[in-house]
């Protein structure tokens, strides 16, 4: 595998379910990000991890819970989501100090029913 | 007011046309400017990365930054159907790691 991978690619879940999104980067980067992409809206930064430490939480509801066990892996744990949370969730990574040079995964298309 | 304004399009041009994509911004702290390209069902990929005012050329692509006007542009020469994608402008200040994106412009190049 190369670059940034994300699983699953598609996810349908009910509002009472618990699921997790997984991201893995094979680039040796030290920073990882979660973004939400909705139609007709700019990419919204959700969380930033630098050297496995969360450095930014962009006022994201607690029903989204990130986890970064090491510099190569990032998870987004989901529980009791709302239909408006349906979106494309993108993971990205960047080298330390290279915040603008981000490498994105293909995303997980999430539908909340 | 949005920090970054980008016309969402859609923009449709014939093959071979010159395409001009633009963004304006309000935050004078932005120092680094990027263009990302996103194909359908894919994540964004970095296309161009520029610092401060001026032009940067890479093949058929030219990125232009005018900090005095808070205006950036991406020009695509001899556009190809394979250029059909959504183009996202993005910018960042010198401190922190938070990229601010535009809404994206959907471009279709017709053969």
């Amino acid at each position: 595998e190369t670059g940034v991978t994300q699983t699953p690619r598609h996810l349908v879940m009910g509002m009472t379910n618990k699921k997790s999104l997984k991201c893995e980067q094979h680039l040796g980067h030290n920073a990882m990000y979660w973004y939400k992409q909705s139609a007709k809206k700019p990419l919204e930064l959700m969380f930033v991890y630098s050297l496995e430490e969360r450095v930014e939480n962009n006022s994201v509801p607690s029903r989204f819970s990130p986890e970064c066990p090491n510099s190569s892996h990032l998870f987004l744990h989901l529980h009791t989501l709302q239909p408006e949370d349906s979106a494309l969730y993108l993971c990205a990574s960047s080298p330390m100090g290279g915040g603008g040079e981000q490498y994105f995964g293909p995303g997980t298309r999430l539908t909340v029913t | 007011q949005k920090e970054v304004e980008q016309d969402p399009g859609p923009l449709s041009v014939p093959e071979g046309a010159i395409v001009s994509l633009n963004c304006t911004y309000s935050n004078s702290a932005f120092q680094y400017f990027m263009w990302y390209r996103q194909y359908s069902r894919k994540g964004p990929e970095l296309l161009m990365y520029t610092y401060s005012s001026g032009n940067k050329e890479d093949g058929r692509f030219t990125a232009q930054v005018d900090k005095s006007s808070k205006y950036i542009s991406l020009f695509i020469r001899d556009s190809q159907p394979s250029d059909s994608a959504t183009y996202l402008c993005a910018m960042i200040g010198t401190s922190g790691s938070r990229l601010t994106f535009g809404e994206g412009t959907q471009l279709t190049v017709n053969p």
Side-chain angles (χ1 to χ4, degrees):
Chain A
E1 294 271 19
T2 58
V4 181
T5 58
Q6 289 187 244
T7 54
R9 294 293 308 275
H10 301 273
L11 179 62
V12 179
M13 59 187 288
M15 290 192 286
T16 57
N17 291 159
K18 287 185 181 181
K19 296 285 184 183
S20 295
L21 310 184
K22 179 183 175 183
C23 174
E24 185 172 358
Q25 60 97 0
H26 310 267
L27 300 167
H29 290 162
N30 294 310
M32 296 188 78
Y33 312 78
W34 278 117
Y35 286 91
K36 176 183 179 182
Q37 188 174 38
S38 306
K40 310 293 185 191
K41 286 186 174 182
L43 277 170
E44 298 173 53
L45 179 65
M46 300 175 72
F47 300 104
V48 181
Y49 277 83
S50 179
L51 293 172
E52 302 146 41
E53 185 177 326
R54 191 190 308 180
V55 297
E56 186 157 348
N57 174 351
N58 197 26
S59 302
V60 179
S62 59
R63 57 186 183 269
F64 295 91
S65 174
E67 179 189 0
C68 187
N70 55 61
S71 59
S72 298
H73 293 86
L74 186 65
F75 295 89
L76 188 63
H77 304 298
L78 316 172
H79 65 96
T80 58
L81 294 191
Q82 304 299 309
E84 60 265 28
D85 296 323
S86 298
L88 182 68
Y89 288 85
L90 291 159
C91 172
S93 70
S94 71
M96 187 62 71
E101 186 184 348
Q102 295 186 13
Y103 295 79
F104 286 82
T108 295
R109 174 66 63 185
L110 173 67
T111 303
V112 181
T113 59
Chain B
Q1 184 189 4
K2 294 179 188 175
E3 276 194 289
V4 179
E5 296 273 1
Q6 183 177 9
D7 186 342
L11 181 61
S12 182
V13 301
E15 184 175 354
I18 296 174
V19 177
S20 173
L21 305 168
N22 311 295
C23 288
T24 58
Y25 63 94
S26 57
N27 189 345
S28 57
F30 291 139
Q31 297 291 327
Y32 299 90
F33 304 91
M34 285 127 278
W35 286 94
Y36 282 80
R37 177 176 61 194
Q38 186 174 18
Y39 289 116
S40 180
R41 296 185 180 82
K42 302 269 186 166
E45 59 175 329
L46 182 62
L47 191 61
M48 299 285 281
Y49 191 132
T50 55
Y51 171 70
S52 197
S53 289
N55 291 358
K56 182 177 181 179
E57 190 172 317
D58 184 1
R60 296 185 294 109
F61 299 88
T62 299
Q64 193 173 78
V65 174
D66 181 348
K67 289 186 70 182
S68 62
S69 302
K70 296 191 177 67
Y71 187 89
I72 68 170
S73 300
L74 177 71
F75 298 96
I76 307 174
R77 290 185 299 281
D78 187 25
S79 55
Q80 303 295 308
S82 58
D83 295 327
S84 298
T86 297
Y87 290 81
L88 305 156
C89 65
M91 42 204 81
I92 193 170
T94 53
S95 60
S97 57
R98 180 179 177 149
L99 263 180
T100 301
F101 284 88
E103 191 177 326
T105 300
Q106 185 181 341
L107 171 67
T108 300
V109 180
N110 301 299

